[in-house]
Amino acid sequence: MNALPFPAPSAPWLVRLLRFAILAFMFLSLLSLLLGAGALAFQIAIQDRIVPGIRVADIDLGGLTREEAAAALLERYQHREETRYAFHDGERSWSATARELGLSFPAEALVERAYSIGHGKDSRRSLREQAAAWFIGANLPATLEFDPSVARAFLGNLAAEIKRERRDASLWLDGLDARVDQGATGRKLNIDATLLTLSAAILSENIEREIALVIDESPPRLWNVAEAAAKIETALSTPIHLLGADRNGALLTPWIISQQQIRAALEVTLHADGERRRYEVGLDLSALERYLATLSPALSKPAVDGRFDFDPQTGNLTALSPSAAGRQLNVEETIARLEAAIFDSVNRRVAMGFEPLTPRFHEGLTAAELGITELVSEATTYYWGSWPNRRSNIALGAGKLNGIIIAPGEEFSFNDHLGDITPEAGYLEGSVILGGATVTGIGGGICQVSTTMYRAAFGGGYAITERNSHGYRVGYYEYANAGPGLDAAIWQPEIDLRFQNNTPYHLLIESSFLGAKDALQFRIYSTRHWRTVIENAVISDIVPAPAEKYVEAEDLYSGQIRQIDYAADGADVWVYRNVYDRAGNLVKRDQVFTRYQPWQAVFEVAPGDPRLEVEEEDEGEAADSN
């Protein structure tokens, strides 16, 4: 068998190259083996430890187990949880640790994060992270965790202690003193704003342990209590003196309004207009107003109209008595002055307020201005046989009605113009009809004045608004063929004679006491507005007068007799008045009806007069018949 021989080397350098390659391969294989063994040993070494090169803040955690790393971090940062923070509100203070306020240091979480570097599931990534940490390093921040809900709960407890409701200023009266409460400022902890400050401080590296509480304050609303209190103090400072003069101008003793009376009139009220409030200090002087109203008649003085005489020939008025201005207590003005003085600290004296009263009819007026141009109507009655006292009363009463002017639309009142029928007014005793009999009384004869005035007004066509007849036919009023049914009785103050001037012209009443003729006359001057025709009286149902009556009079002697009442038949009487306008058209037809009762003659005789016995027998028979 033939063996093939090895080829001969072509060159020595090739052998050397081959040897080097083998040696290099062997070296690299050994190196790889060593590196792999080292890497394996490294992985085994850091299996439960943090990769070298990893730091949390300024703490190197490389090569530490997680427990060791957590301990190192807690040792370094756990004191932050125990930091105590102080809160102040004036002299009150509170404190709490950072942990109690919701701060915590998450050491375990930081350790887990540090450990996770280089220990992931992706081996290649983990090797890169390990290499980066080894050669470059990895720094993690040391973070703190803060739960604001814990701090909010703590601040909520503080808020409950700090909270104070606002109390606005108030004012009230205590006796004669004005009391003022200036109120109190409301306070409320602003939890949100305080929490912002606390969060910034608790998470800051520069630990600020004094936390400023943010408190919202609402000052009291003072309204105008000071102004109102000053007004009250002025009102109650001193009494008020009310000054006045009587109707003749003489100064009266001042009325003193005491501080207690002013206090009773003071009214303090709080007015609200939305959010605005205002104290009003006012006065209720109604009680004083009523009192002044009672004083008014005594202090006031009515204006006096002039009395006039009309001359038909010249058409001029002549003053019989002058007019005079009057005055009226102005209660409203006086109350206004009092109110101003009560709130015036200087002027505490008040003059009553009066307003002047101007007479309606004064000397400057002319008859033409008033429409007084002619005689419109007149009436005359006679008082033949009247006693002197009766004649005197008639003259006095007629004089009081002389020269009076009545305006258009105005109502005339006999009693108002006559005045009181009293002895002080000059009236004397005379015969008057009272309670179904003629008796002696003050003012006898005045009904003749009212009857005559009535007839003048009735004849002038004026509207009669009140007329009262006598109980029986009075002889005086039927003298000179005057028929019945046109008499007018008055009795103060209940029974009056009234008529209205229902024309567009003023009227003037004139009276004349014609002593020589035993006559009384009334005339009415104005401008004739219509024509009046009075028909004769219609008399029916006549009832004869009762028999004469005799009564005993202690002041008479035997044989003397005095008649105190006169016989008169009873009857129903109608009187008709026809009123025509200027064209002659009938405007109205008035009917006046009077029922007169029968009246007996009454005589006074001396005691023991035989006619008294007859009278007694008649009365006995009448009693038996009953």
Side-chain angles (χ1 to χ4, degrees), residues 310-317 366-368 372-373:
F310 176 69
D311 186 346
Q313 301 299 320
T314 63
N316 294 327
L317 291 174
T366 65
I372 299 173
T373 60

Side-chain angles (χ1 to χ4, degrees), residues 38 47 72 80 125 166 196 296 360 441 529:
Q47 182 177 2
R80 293 288 298 275
R125 180 179 177 180
R166 180 186 65 196
L196 287 175
S296 181
R360 296 178 303 163
H529 189 59

Side-chain angles (χ1 to χ4, degrees), residues 29-47:
S29 297
L30 181 60
L31 179 61
S32 297
L33 182 60
L34 291 174
L35 289 173
L40 179 60
F42 179 76
Q43 294 299 321
I44 294 172
I46 66 170
Q47 182 177 2

Side-chain angles (χ1 to χ4, degrees), residues 364-433:
L365 296 173
T366 65
E369 288 179 277
L370 300 174
I372 299 173
T373 60
E374 59 186 321
L375 178 66
V376 171
S377 67
E378 66 178 346
T380 303
T381 62
Y382 298 89
Y383 45 87
W384 302 325
S386 291
W387 295 358
N389 283 7
R390 188 174 189 275
R391 297 165 63 93
S392 175
N393 290 338
I394 292 172
L396 179 59
K400 290 182 179 294
L401 302 179
N402 186 39
I404 295 171
I405 295 176
I406 306 298
E410 183 180 353
E411 184 181 52
F412 167 86
S413 167
F414 185 89
N415 282 337
D416 286 350
H417 285 91
L418 186 72
D420 294 335
I421 303 174
T422 61
E424 292 76 13
Y427 291 98
L428 306 175
E429 286 188 341
S431 297
V432 296
I433 300 174

Side-chain angles (χ1 to χ4, degrees), residues 454-500:
Y454 168 62
R455 292 181 179 182
F458 191 72
Y462 298 103
I464 308 301
T465 54
E466 182 182 350
R467 175 257 177 179
N468 301 277
S469 67
H470 291 80
Y472 65 91
R473 293 171 64 176
V474 179
Y476 290 117
Y477 309 147
E478 298 183 22
Y479 287 162
N481 298 319
L486 290 178
D487 59 307
I490 67 102
W491 185 264
Q492 292 182 347
E494 297 88 357
I495 298 176
D496 197 3
L497 166 65
R498 294 174 179 270
F499 71 87
Q500 184 186 32

Side-chain angles (χ1 to χ4, degrees), residues 87 148-160 162 188-199 211-216:
F87 304 86
S149 64
V150 178
R152 183 178 292 276
F154 174 82
L155 293 176
N157 293 331
L158 266 60
I162 293 171
K188 181 180 180 182
L189 177 63
N190 190 327
I191 294 178
D192 291 335
T194 304
L195 187 57
L196 287 175
T197 303
L198 175 60
S199 299
I211 305 300
L213 293 174
V214 181
I215 296 176
D216 296 331

